[in-house]
Amino acid sequence: MVEALAALAVLLVFSVIGTATGRHRVVDIAWGLGFVAVALAGYLITPRHWLITALTVLWGLRLALFIGWRSRGKPEDPRYARLLAGRGRWYPLVMVYLLQWVIVWFVSLPVQVAQRHYDGLSWWMLPGVAVWAVGMVFEGVGDWQLFAFQRAGGHGRVLDTGLWRYTRHPNYFGDACVWWGIWLVGCASWPGVLTVLSPILMTWFLAGKTGKPMTEAAMSARPGYAEYVARTSGFVPWFPRRLPRG
């Protein structure tokens, strides 16, 4: 309960900021900070599972700081502009901030359960930390490569080098790995296994709902993008396919 209230407080603060500035893209910053709030609130209640708390906080802070730095001075995100166009005053609060709050609470269940059922460090946590680390590398490096590409004049073109040569969405793939890793760490205590729907939901959002599909729809008209799609893995990294010449 305390974890849910902590995340709600973060989302409500950012809803006020978004309404005051007319830039509801700030919810993307609140997304990472909501998970940080959940992890820290849970740790204050049961200050035992420092590992899963640290993994969650490091991921959430990196994401929030990067998005905040990347979006400084920019206008409203076109996604939110389309979603909120012509809607009532309370629509953003319900469909942007409160919806995000529910998702944050559900996806973070592995953290909440693990903090309450901590049985000490075990070897089972090692693969979880390894998967989390792979995810952090893919997400962090992928984000930075895209940012550097756009800053160098890559807007309107297709990034197909670095990690983007092996997957069209290294940042989304990394995000999914982070939460599968956190779930594995939580599985060191048996109730953590029951929270498997949380990383499944996060992966579904990233690969099948709001992440990959929306990004690719926005990029589909770019020159060379169809060829990039044809040769590059859509989510899980793999070597590029050779296209027939013709």
Side-chain angles (χ1 to χ4, degrees), residues 151-169:
R151 187 173 58 177
H155 287 283
R157 297 190 291 119
V158 176
L159 172 59
D160 60 358
T161 58
L163 294 180
W164 299 82
R165 170 178 167 82
Y166 303 100
T167 168
R168 303 200 297 272
H169 303 281

Side-chain angles (χ1 to χ4, degrees), residues 5-221:
L5 292 176
L8 179 61
V10 171
L11 270 298
L12 289 179
V13 167
F14 276 84
S15 74
V16 173
I17 296 173
T19 301
T21 62
R23 296 169 66 246
H24 291 288
R25 69 185 305 155
V26 296
V27 73
D28 293 337
I29 303 173
W31 172 253
L33 294 180
F35 288 99
V36 171
V38 166
L40 292 180
Y43 189 73
L44 289 176
I45 298 172
T46 54
R48 295 179 296 165
H49 206 322
W50 60 268
L51 178 59
I52 206 165
T53 303
L55 297 181
T56 306
V57 169
L58 287 173
W59 170 81
L61 285 180
R62 188 216 72 86
L63 183 62
L65 290 172
F66 176 77
I67 291 178
W69 178 63
R70 182 188 64 185
S71 62
R72 66 195 189 283
K74 291 186 177 180
E76 179 64 289
D77 189 310
R79 296 174 300 163
Y80 298 119
R82 288 192 298 269
L83 175 65
L84 304 176
R87 303 292 184 174
R89 178 180 180 182
W90 297 104
Y91 189 82
L93 176 63
V94 176
M95 295 305 297
V96 176
Y97 298 95
L98 292 183
L99 181 59
Q100 293 266 30
W101 169 56
V102 173
I103 297 171
V104 166
W105 172 80
F106 188 83
V107 171
S108 66
L109 282 176
V111 181
Q112 300 176 53
V113 171
Q115 288 175 325
R116 283 170 166 74
H117 297 274
Y118 181 59
D119 294 331
L121 297 176
S122 72
W123 68 267
W124 182 252
M125 294 179 180
L126 293 177
V129 173
V131 173
W132 176 89
V134 169
M136 286 290 286
V137 169
F138 268 86
E139 187 176 8
V141 174
D143 279 343
W144 178 254
Q145 288 176 342
L146 180 60
F147 176 77
F149 176 73
Q150 292 175 338
R151 187 173 58 177
H155 287 283
R157 297 190 291 119
V158 176
L159 172 59
D160 60 358
T161 58
L163 294 180
W164 299 82
R165 170 178 167 82
Y166 303 100
T167 168
R168 303 200 297 272
H169 303 281
N171 46 357
Y172 294 152
F173 170 76
D175 207 344
C177 285
V178 163
W179 282 97
W180 280 106
I182 288 174
W183 175 74
L184 284 172
V185 170
C187 285
S189 301
W190 78 264
V193 178
L194 303 178
T195 65
V196 67
L197 289 180
S198 295
I200 288 176
L201 179 66
M202 176 66 98
T203 305
W204 178 72
F205 271 117
L206 292 167
K209 186 63 175 177
T210 59
K212 177 177 178 287
M214 291 180 66
T215 300
E216 297 199 343
M219 297 182 64
S220 60

